[in-house]
């Protein structure tokens, strides 16, 4: 709500010779159209430079079962959340919101699959708990010829009465 523009300025602290601190714009990150809230991913390239990837994110209205999946790999990924659910298919560089069909406080099996050398192989398999006051962000990354699934718990926005906004 505080900043509305087509790009988001990122600042760096610059120390002046007279020891006064000053801030200068280091980068301008172009925002997706009609962004109300943004998730900004940042990583270091092998050359040591910072890369930014802004994602239009609806965290303000999210509930515990509104998960965000981000495929940063060069492969299509199939990811199933729940034993009897159909997998979510994410193309390379794809971002999807997914409504998890599981109860708060319960757990579900998760399985990730992708094509490797002409075969579909499981790259991830475990059991994840569905937490009542957070949604999850799943980021798929590629390291060499392997795919990793990283799950990040994202606390839901709370109102004055400490009830997550999406649960009112």
């Amino acid at each position: 709500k505080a900043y509305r523009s087509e790009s988001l300025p990122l600042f760096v602290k610059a120390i002046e010779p007279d020891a006064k601190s000053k801030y200068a714009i280091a980068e301008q990150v172009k925002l997706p159209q009609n962004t109300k809230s943004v998730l900004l991913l940042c990583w270091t390239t092998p050359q040591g430079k910072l890369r930014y990837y802004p994602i239009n994110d609806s965290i303000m209205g999210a509930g515990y079962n509104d998960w965000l999946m981000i495929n940063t790999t060069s492969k299509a990924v199939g990811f199933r959340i729940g034993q009897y659910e159909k997998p979510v298919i994410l193309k390379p560089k794809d971002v999807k919101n997914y409504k998890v069909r599981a109860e708060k406080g319960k757990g579900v099996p998760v399985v990730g699959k992708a094509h490797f050398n002409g075969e579909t192989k499981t790259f991830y398999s475990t059991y994840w708990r569905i937490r009542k006051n957070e949604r999850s962000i799943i980021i798929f990354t590629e390291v060499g010829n392997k795919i990793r699934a990283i799950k990040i718990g994202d606390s839901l926005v709370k109102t004055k009465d400490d009830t997550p906004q999406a649960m009112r």
Side-chain angles (χ1 to χ4, degrees):
K1 291 180 181 177
Y3 187 82
R4 302 261 179 188
S5 181
E6 290 181 9
S7 65
L8 175 68
L10 301 177
F11 295 87
V12 63
K13 186 175 183 180
I15 307 238
E16 297 293 316
D18 61 359
K20 291 183 182 177
S21 294
K22 209 171 162 182
Y23 292 90
I25 294 176
E27 298 277 344
Q28 290 275 356
V29 178
K30 187 174 179 187
L31 297 175
Q33 285 187 334
N34 303 320
T35 299
K36 291 186 180 177
S37 60
V38 66
L39 172 66
L40 184 61
L41 301 180
C42 176
W43 64 94
T44 306
T45 66
Q47 297 79 23
K49 297 190 183 234
L50 292 177
R51 295 278 318 263
Y52 302 96
Y53 186 65
I55 296 170
N56 192 356
D57 184 18
S58 57
I59 182 68
M60 300 303 286
Y64 75 94
N65 60 344
D66 294 312
W67 289 20
L68 182 62
M69 300 169 113
I70 305 163
N71 183 8
T72 68
T73 75
S74 63
K75 298 179 182 285
V77 170
F79 202 73
R80 189 185 73 208
I81 304 169
Q83 186 172 359
Y84 302 108
E85 299 298 321
K86 290 183 179 180
V88 178
I89 306 299
L90 293 113
K91 295 176 185 170
K93 313 299 181 210
D94 205 1
V95 176
K96 285 190 180 177
N97 288 296
Y98 180 73
K99 183 77 80 174
V100 173
R101 292 195 287 212
E103 291 181 49
K104 294 181 248 179
K106 301 286 182 183
V108 293
V110 297
V111 175
K113 294 187 178 199
H115 286 285
F116 295 94
N117 300 323
E119 290 183 57
T120 300
K121 294 186 180 181
T122 299
F123 66 85
Y124 193 83
S125 178
T126 193
Y127 188 81
W128 282 345
R129 186 174 179 92
I130 309 296
R131 303 195 186 281
K132 67 178 182 174
N133 290 325
E134 71 180 35
R135 61 126 182 215
S136 291
I137 299 171
I138 315 305
I139 302 175
F140 301 98
T141 63
E142 201 166 17
V143 180
N145 61 352
K146 295 183 180 184
I147 295 178
R148 293 180 50 203
I150 302 165
K151 180 179 183 247
I152 301 168
D154 194 15
S155 295
L156 294 173
V157 176
K158 304 209 186 243
T159 60
K160 290 179 186 175
D161 66 356
D162 255 7
T163 304
Q165 185 172 355
M167 299 171 85
R168 285 190 281 150

